[in-house]
Every structure is written in C-alpha cells, then in structure tokens.
Amino acid sequence: MIDVAIVGAGPAGLSAAIELRRRGVGRVVVFERELFAGGIPRHSAHLGYGARDMHRITTGPRYAALLTRRAEKAGVEIEVGRSVTDFAQLSARAVLLATGVRERPRSARLVPGDRPAGVLTTGSLQQFATLHHQRVGNRAVVVGAEHVSFSAVLTLAHTGCRVAAMVTALPHHQTYPLLRLATAGRHRVPIHTGVDIAEIVGRTRVEAVVLTDGRRIACDTVVFTGDWIPDHELARAGGLPMLLVAKAPIVDASWHTQQQGVFAIGNLIHPAETADVCALDGRAVAEHVIDWLTVGSWPAAVAAVEVAAPIQWAATSAIGVTFRVDEFVTGSVAASNGSELLHQTKRKKWIPNRAYHLPRLRDCRQLTFKR
Ligand SMILES: Cc1cc2nc3c(=O)[nH]c(=O)nc-3n(C[C@H](O)[C@H](O)[C@H](O)COP(=O)(O)OP(=O)(O)OC[C@H]3O[C@@H](n4cnc5c(N)ncnc54)[C@H](O)[C@@H]3O)c2cc1C
C-alpha cells in the first residue's frame, strides 16, 4: 500500500515527497505524466530559480535536476509517463495534488480568426526552444505584458525570432521596470496597451494579427502568455469544489481540501507563484499529511478566504495569504476572521497579474479592500 500518492513531479510535488520521506513516511510515490520529473522549470532555461527554498539562484533545468536527485536519494518512488485521470487509480492512505498551472491558450481566450500554425503559449514556446532547440518563427507578437510575457520576449530573441510587439488589454504593463528594460527595452519591442487581439489572420501559417483598435501587425508567430489557469481537471473529476475566479480547488490554511485524505498545493491552488513558493508549500504540507496518516483527524469545514473586488481571489501559500487584484488600483487590504481585524496593509498602488502576500495569519477568513 502506498502511504502518500503525489500527482505532479514539479517543485511542489517533489519537495513534499522529499520532506515526507525525511520525516519517516514509508512509501511515497510521485506520478508524473511527462517522461521526466521536474515540472515547468525543466523547460525554463533562464536563471531565477531556488531563492527562497535552496538559498541560491540557478536555472530552471538545474533546479529541476537538483530536486529530482534529492527526491531519488530520499527514497521517493517517481513514476514518470503516468498520467493520473481518476482518484480511483491512486490506492493510497493520502493523496497530494500538485498538478500545477498552465496558460490559457488562444481557444480559451475566444480569439476569433483563422486557425493557422504559429500560435503558441509561453509553455509550448519554451518546450520548442529549450527542450527541442527549434526555431519557432521570424516575427512574433506576444499577447500579455505580465512577468512571464517578458520572459517570452527573451526566449523568442534567443531562438532568433524578432518580436514585433507586445499587446495587453490593460492600461499599463504589469512587470517590474527593470525586467521590462532588460527584455522589451533591450530588444526595442513596443508595448501596445489598452488593446486586445481582434483577429488572427493566415491560412496555413500566421500572417498577421488585427488589434481591437484596427491596427494590423504582420507576424508569423503569436505567443499567448500568462492568464494562468490551474491544471485542475483531475481535482474537478474527483469532485473537489473550486474557487470561482482562480478555478483552483478550495483548501484551508493547512492545504486540506474538502475531501478527506486529499491535499492540494503549489500552483494548482495559487495560479501562479514562483517555484520556490511552491516548493515551500511542499515542505510545509508534510506535517499536515503526517497528522492525517497518524491521528486521522480532518477539519470539519474547509472554506475559501472570502474576497471583495478589486481582489480577485485569495489562497494559502507557505509564505502567507496570497492574492491578486484585477485592476490598477490604490488603497489598502484588510484581513479579518469575520469579526476581528487580523492585519492591515499600508495604502499603496496595486497591480493586476502580480503576486501579493499577507503574512501567515491564524484563521484568516476575509480580505477587503479600501480605496
Ligand atoms: C515561462 C516561465 C518562466 C518562469 N520563470 C520562473 C523563475 O524565473 N523563477 C521561479 O521561481 N519560477 C518561475 N516560473 C514559475 C515556476 O515554473 C512555477 O512556479 C513552478 O513550476 C510551479 O510548481 P508546481 O510544482 O506547482 O507545478 P509544475 O511545475 O507545473 O508541475 C506540475 C507537474 O504536474 C504534472 N501533472 C499535471 N497533471 C498531471 C496528472 N493528471 N498526472 C500526472 N502528472 C500531472 C505536470 O506534468 C507537471 O510536471 C516560470 C514559469 C514559466 C511558465
């Protein structure tokens, strides 16, 4: 019998598995649908991984390899090429879902137009570029202007593809000025704000995009970036209730879901944090999984943190209560347990598509925003 079955061998799943074994749990098996363990970092060749969990900065592939080696050394069984489609496949005393996140592709964003080749997400772009060393095109339009969108600009530049423009429906880009400068600035990429893609043109290969303000940009590649959605199909098939906007399974502050014996961590529950935060989720959940295995207690009620606009959603991460706003807005955020104020931030500017964290708070049930 498996003690803990973990679905997903990304930073969250592998870190949980290592910690569970370190704390003496007998049989810990990680199921991974890809042929190699490591999750998204495996595809992400740039520096920027490991700060908070490994206390060093390394590249995605090195970080993924290090975590995988540590898991193997700790006696974790990793079954690659195993896609879990049903909880019934997992005969285990506890189940830990760590299936991560993906970007909404063109179809989910309801973008009209032809259906030519050359339409990607950053995830597929990185697979072509990092894993298969393929050139993707000559002239691209990047849709989105959050952190990952600027990472896509760099990846495209490395493959020899010029970026004609970035396009965001929001009034400003959403990344740090320095990151913008080092990517779009360095490669002289214009950022068109307040517009969206109205149409993709091209019979067999992309020929152009038309923007909602009527401008037409010639290109042979379109990369849809960010706009994260959890890989939640397995959780939904298992009947777990979801946060409405984030589309993530509802968990409490100890990552219990509403189904006894099933925990959820990583970007599956907070789309999308950095890899180190997901790895720290993995380490922190181990204690609660072990409580379930040894004491067998489960909370009577598992509820989401309630939020009000402009806060989109909030969820637990290892470093606190993580949340997003859906507009550029100035004000302060207050956390309460429904009756008492637990924490209040300073008044400041908040930016959509950015990760924000409040400290870990006992019994945080509600976030409100004061403009
Ligand atoms: C372009 C890009 C750049 C990034 N840059 C950085 C950076 O510089 N620094 C940083 O810290 N973070 C970065 N990130 C974010 C980082 O990659 C994620 O935070 C991290 O990978 C999330 O870890 P996770 O374990 O939750 O999920 P993932 O890494 O997504 O792992 C989930 C795993 O679950 C598997 N899986 C899913 N469903 C199933 C199933 N049903 N059965 C079996 N297996 C399944 C998937 O194949 C995957 O391997 C970047 C992300 C992207 C896309």
Side-chain angles (χ1 to χ4, degrees), residues 243-246 307-314 323-327 352-353:
L243 287 179
L244 273 182
V245 175
V307 296
I311 301 172
Q312 274 185 308
W313 56 263
F323 65 95
R324 298 284 186 283
V325 297
D326 60 7
E327 59 178 288
N353 293 324

Side-chain angles (χ1 to χ4, degrees), residues 6-14 30-34 36-53 58 60 63 79 81-86 89 98-103 122-123 126 147-149 151-152 155 228 231-234 265-270 272-279 281:
I6 299 178
V7 188
L14 288 177
V30 183
F31 296 96
E32 169 55 51
R33 67 183 169 197
E34 292 197 12
F36 298 93
I40 289 183
R42 226 168 47 80
H43 311 171
S44 187
H46 59 85
L47 279 170
Y49 285 87
R52 277 176 274 208
D53 59 330
T58 185
Y63 177 77
E79 296 209 6
R82 287 286 302 274
S83 205
V84 179
T85 54
D86 193 334
Q89 288 172 299
T99 51
V101 76
R102 61 176 180 264
E103 291 151 296
T122 322
Q126 290 202 331
H147 300 324
V148 71
S149 321
S151 164
T155 308
W228 304 100
D231 259 331
H232 58 182
E233 282 72 16
L234 176 63
I265 55 167
N267 276 346
L268 169 65
I269 57 157
H270 42 61
E273 294 293 336
T274 48
D276 50 2
V277 174
C278 298
D281 281 4

Side-chain angles (χ1 to χ4, degrees), residues 136-216:
V136 292
N138 295 315
R139 192 174 151 89
V141 167
V142 170
V143 184
E146 53 184 284
H147 300 324
V148 71
S149 321
F150 292 87
S151 164
V153 168
L154 271 195
T155 308
L156 285 162
H158 287 152
T159 68
C161 181
R162 198 171 117 50
V163 181
M166 299 178 79
V167 174
T168 172
L170 291 167
H172 311 285
H173 73 76
Q174 304 105 56
T175 198
Y176 311 117
L178 258 180
L179 181 58
R180 187 201 69 78
L181 205 67
T183 53
R186 179 171 155 214
H187 294 282
R188 302 210 176 136
V189 179
I191 305 175
H192 301 310
T193 56
V195 281
D196 217 336
I197 304 287
E199 188 185 349
I200 292 179
V201 182
R203 280 235 191 110
T204 51
R205 177 81 199 192
V206 174
E207 290 164 19
V209 294
V210 179
L211 305 186
T212 44
D213 63 5
R215 270 179 289 180
R216 183 184 169 102

